[in-house]
Every structure is written in structure tokens, then in C-alpha cells.
Amino acid sequence: GRKSSPRSSVREDQAHFALDPQSNHFTEKHMAYTEKFQQHADTARAQVAAVEPGEVDTLVAAGAIALDIRDPDEHATDHISDSLNISRGKLEMYLEAKVPDLDTPILCYCNAVNRGALSAATLRSMGYVNARYVDGGLNAYNALKSAPSSEGSH
């Protein structure tokens, strides 16, 4: 197989994603992820449910928490409005104080898919039964927001 450096310079936020016409889900074009990382992320995706980007605003209006698990500098650059930011590395330490109710719907997101899915799987293992991830992440959410709408304006 191909040799891949464990210290890749490609970050997840540079990952491209595409809508898979067969499954109708967003899939990342695998760039410089290591094989083990991608297997780990795929396992997480299989364990938790995805939320379509178009459902996010409705779910948040109904009480779900959009949880940006990216680093604070990424959150400062752009994020889904009203989202809570706890970076993935501090998630287990801080979430319980911010969201004590294990039944709260939580929509984990990153820029694309992997970190959001990994975080949602972690939250499920902590007892947050309604933890899910935003399919396609912030990139897909923003692409949807910038696309011309076929519906009437609000």
C-alpha cells in the first residue's frame, strides 16, 4: 500500500466532501488521514446517527444543542450560530457541567464529519443517549445556507 506519514500537514478543515448519490449522505474525500484514524472514525459513524445539515436549525429551535467540538480558534473563525464550543480534547471534562441532562439532544459538528462523529460516539458512551453528529459538518451546513433556496423566504 501507499506510505502515509503519521504527521500529515493536511488538516480536517481542508477536507473536501461530496454528497454520495447512492446513500444520500455526505462522504469525505479521503485525503491524508491515516488508515487507522479513518477506520476509527468510520466505526464511530456506524455507532451514532447523523443529522442532515438542513435539520440543524429546526432541531436547535426545538431545544437541541449544536456542539462545536473544534478548537476555539476554529470556532472564532466561523460556527453555527448559538452553538456551544467545547473542543474535542476537553469534551469529557466540561460537558457534564454545561449539559447535565443526559437526554438533551446534542448535535456534534466539526468542519466535515470525522471529529463530529467521534465526539458523538464519545458522548453516547458517557450516557448522552441523543448525541448525534451533523453529516458534512459546518462545511455542509454553510454550503446549504449559501445555496439559493427553492422555498419562499422567511
Side-chain angles (χ1 to χ4, degrees):
R2 293 179 313 196
K3 285 193 134 186
S4 61
S5 164
R7 297 184 63 141
S8 168
S9 62
V10 176
R11 291 181 42 179
E12 181 181 357
D13 50 306
Q14 295 170 320
H16 298 282
F17 60 92
L19 190 60
D20 177 356
Q22 278 155 343
S23 70
N24 205 30
H25 283 280
F26 286 98
T27 54
E28 288 179 76
K29 293 177 185 166
H30 301 262
M31 292 180 69
Y33 300 125
T34 64
E35 196 174 328
K36 285 199 185 328
F37 170 75
Q38 193 60 58
Q39 287 171 350
H40 188 57
D42 290 345
T43 299
R45 288 176 75 178
Q47 291 169 350
V48 291
V51 169
E52 295 304 317
E55 298 176 86
V56 171
D57 291 344
T58 305
L59 291 168
V60 168
I65 292 175
L67 178 61
D68 183 353
I69 57 76
R70 300 171 306 148
D71 293 337
D73 61 319
E74 294 175 282
H75 181 79
T77 303
D78 190 19
H79 57 268
I80 294 172
S81 55
D82 298 325
S83 56
L84 176 63
N85 178 221
I86 303 175
S87 60
R88 188 166 166 243
K90 297 189 167 99
L91 198 53
E92 295 91 337
M93 287 190 293
Y94 295 144
L95 186 69
E96 197 175 359
K98 302 263 189 195
V99 187
D101 184 354
L102 295 176
D103 292 327
T104 303
I106 301 174
L107 315 177
C108 299
Y109 73 92
C110 55
N111 286 310
V113 175
N114 290 329
R115 289 182 294 170
L118 287 162
S119 297
T122 295
L123 296 188
R124 291 294 291 267
S125 73
M126 290 175 68
Y128 287 91
V129 292
N130 293 311
R132 297 188 280 171
Y133 68 94
V134 178
D135 201 11
L138 184 63
N139 292 338
Y141 180 84
N142 284 340
L144 194 69
K145 291 289 173 195
S146 63
S149 176
S150 57
E151 303 165 25
S153 59
H154 303 290

